[in-house]
């Protein structure tokens, strides 16, 4: 058994026990107010220090990470997107990298088959990474409704599109519906499971993976799983939760009664990820 991912799993489980135990014995103020504020402070300080460190780093050589044919003689075809020579070309290349992970799409994996060396596209890694990041972005934007009052129309539209799939159970005598299924949450859970399993199953990836590679994936799984539990299994008081979040952003913190322990576990996981972000490889 790989000690690296087991160590990360144990660390996340200990975080779960800390939040569950603290919220159960009445430390809601600590996990609902103090910990989120501390996490935001650590995130801001860590992020600023990281950027300042990058700005002070010496860059003795300009080593571009482009590919393809550079601009040269007129009769040689120029790869304008892979090796841009103009500002608009750089903008186009960056847009494709940021929005579509273009370099990852062209990633290949070496495989030995029948004594011969083959290279195959890592298309599933590209799909998993793209689904993970866009689903995470959608979840973050959708959660902004907890921090804004009134909720902007664009967030309402996003929530409507994300929850277009509804489950409805109909019986001859009666009819009832379950909550709308948010596809971003399901996709995020599936993507993070795939990326984690991939690190464990593929020997070459497992060999180069550290505990710090598994920890954020397992932590994000915990965030997503507790969020899904609150949505479909263990109900919480949504109005009370929004009252708490509005109090945080307006610097008038309050901890309403009856939110539920699972909410504080979810919030604690988010706070840990936020504080961990600038000090990690993320």
């Amino acid at each position: 058994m790989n000690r690296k991912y087991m160590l990360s799993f144990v660390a996340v489980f200990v975080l779960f026990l800390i939040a569950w135990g603290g919220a159960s014995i009445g430390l809601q103020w600590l996990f609902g107010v103090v910990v989120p504020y501390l996490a935001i402070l650590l995130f801001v300080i860590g992020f600023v220090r990281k950027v300042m460190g990058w700005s002070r780093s010496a860059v003795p050589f300009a080593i571009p990470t482009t590919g393809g044919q550079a601009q040269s003689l007129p009769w040689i075809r120029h790869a304008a997107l892979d090796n841009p020579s103009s500002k608009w070309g750089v903008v186009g290349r960056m847009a494709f990298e940021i929005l579509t992970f273009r370099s990852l799409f062209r990633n290949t994996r070496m495989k030995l088959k029948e004594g011969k060396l083959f290279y195959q596209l890592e298309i599933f890694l590209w799909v998993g990474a793209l689904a993970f990041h866009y689903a995470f972005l959608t979840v973050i934007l959708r959660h902004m409704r907890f921090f804004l009052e009134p909720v902007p129309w664009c967030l309402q539209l996003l929530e409507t599109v994300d929850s277009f799939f509804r489950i409805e159970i109909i019986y001859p005598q009666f009819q009832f519906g379950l909550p709308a299924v948010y596809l971003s949450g399901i996709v995020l859970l599936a993507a993070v499971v795939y990326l984690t399993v991939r690190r464990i199953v593929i020997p070459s990836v497992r060999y180069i993976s550290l505990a710090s590679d598994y920890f954020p994936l397992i932590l994000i799984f915990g965030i997503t799983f507790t969020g899904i539990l609150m949505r479909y299994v263990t109900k919480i008081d949504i109005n009370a939760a929004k009252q708490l979040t509005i109090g945080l952003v307006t610097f008038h913190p309050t901890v309403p009664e009856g939110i539920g322990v699972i909410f504080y576990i979810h919030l604690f996981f988010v706070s840990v990820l936020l504080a961990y972000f600038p000090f990690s490889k993320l």
Side-chain angles (χ1 to χ4, degrees), residues 55-107:
S55 67
R56 290 194 298 262
S57 298
V59 185
F61 304 106
I63 305 176
T65 56
T66 56
Q69 177 62 47
Q71 187 178 28
S72 57
L73 300 176
W75 51 271
I76 298 179
R77 185 176 180 181
H78 173 215
L81 193 61
D82 285 321
N83 205 331
S85 58
S86 65
K87 291 183 178 180
W88 284 112
V90 173
V91 171
R93 181 176 183 270
M94 289 180 61
F96 272 99
E97 290 292 341
I98 295 171
L99 300 176
T100 67
F101 300 170
R102 188 166 179 264
S103 294
L104 189 60
F105 176 76
R106 298 183 296 177
N107 187 36

Side-chain angles (χ1 to χ4, degrees), residues 1-278:
M1 185 173 291
N2 193 315
R3 294 177 56 187
K4 297 175 183 177
Y5 66 78
M6 283 303 301
L7 181 63
S8 300
F9 176 80
V10 171
V12 174
F13 184 70
V14 169
L15 293 175
F16 163 80
L17 292 179
I18 292 173
W20 174 74
S24 300
I25 63 175
L27 298 179
Q28 286 85 356
W29 183 269
L30 174 64
F31 290 95
V33 177
V34 177
V35 170
Y37 276 147
L38 183 61
I40 294 173
L41 183 63
L42 289 174
F43 175 81
V44 173
I45 293 175
F47 194 86
V48 170
R49 290 184 69 252
K50 181 73 71 173
V51 173
M52 290 178 64
W54 288 336
S55 67
R56 290 194 298 262
S57 298
V59 185
F61 304 106
I63 305 176
T65 56
T66 56
Q69 177 62 47
Q71 187 178 28
S72 57
L73 300 176
W75 51 271
I76 298 179
R77 185 176 180 181
H78 173 215
L81 193 61
D82 285 321
N83 205 331
S85 58
S86 65
K87 291 183 178 180
W88 284 112
V90 173
V91 171
R93 181 176 183 270
M94 289 180 61
F96 272 99
E97 290 292 341
I98 295 171
L99 300 176
T100 67
F101 300 170
R102 188 166 179 264
S103 294
L104 189 60
F105 176 76
R106 298 183 296 177
N107 187 36
T108 58
R109 183 173 63 169
M110 186 175 63
K111 188 175 182 181
L112 190 64
K113 185 178 180 181
E114 298 178 355
K116 296 181 179 180
L117 200 60
F118 293 89
Y119 291 90
Q120 61 183 21
L121 287 175
E122 280 276 31
I123 188 68
F124 290 108
L125 174 60
W126 174 76
V127 171
L130 204 64
F132 171 82
H133 285 87
Y134 272 105
F136 210 158
L137 175 62
T138 304
V139 169
I140 292 174
L141 293 177
R142 184 162 48 79
H143 275 65
M144 292 302 295
R145 73 186 191 276
F146 288 104
F147 301 92
L148 301 172
E149 186 61 41
V151 180
W153 67 269
C154 54
L155 294 182
Q156 296 180 11
L157 177 62
L158 176 65
E159 186 174 3
T160 301
V161 173
D162 193 24
S163 63
F164 77 95
F165 179 64
R166 293 180 178 273
I167 298 177
E168 190 171 344
I169 302 176
I170 302 176
Y171 289 94
Q173 294 82 9
F174 58 90
Q175 172 179 329
F176 65 92
L178 296 178
V181 177
Y182 288 117
L183 295 183
S184 58
I186 304 300
V187 171
L188 178 59
L189 185 66
V192 75
V193 168
Y194 166 74
L195 294 175
T196 305
V197 171
R198 178 182 175 275
R199 282 193 175 274
I200 298 174
V201 172
I202 300 178
S204 57
V205 181
R206 183 174 64 245
Y207 179 76
I208 63 174
S209 298
L210 304 174
S212 58
D213 297 312
Y214 293 107
F215 177 73
L217 289 173
I218 299 175
L219 183 60
I220 293 172
F221 173 84
I223 293 172
T224 310
F225 187 70
T226 52
I228 291 176
L229 284 181
M230 284 191 292
R231 174 69 184 173
Y232 308 109
V233 182
T234 305
K235 299 296 183 179
I236 67 168
D237 190 340
I238 298 295
N239 293 327
K242 184 165 184 176
Q243 184 180 350
L244 186 149
T245 55
I246 290 292
L248 290 176
V249 297
T250 57
F251 298 102
H252 293 89
T254 179
V255 180
E257 296 291 337
I259 297 181
V261 174
I262 188 67
F263 172 80
Y264 293 103
I265 298 173
H266 181 75
L267 183 59
F268 184 63
F269 280 166
V270 173
S271 300
V272 171
L273 180 64
L274 197 63
Y276 176 75
F277 193 95

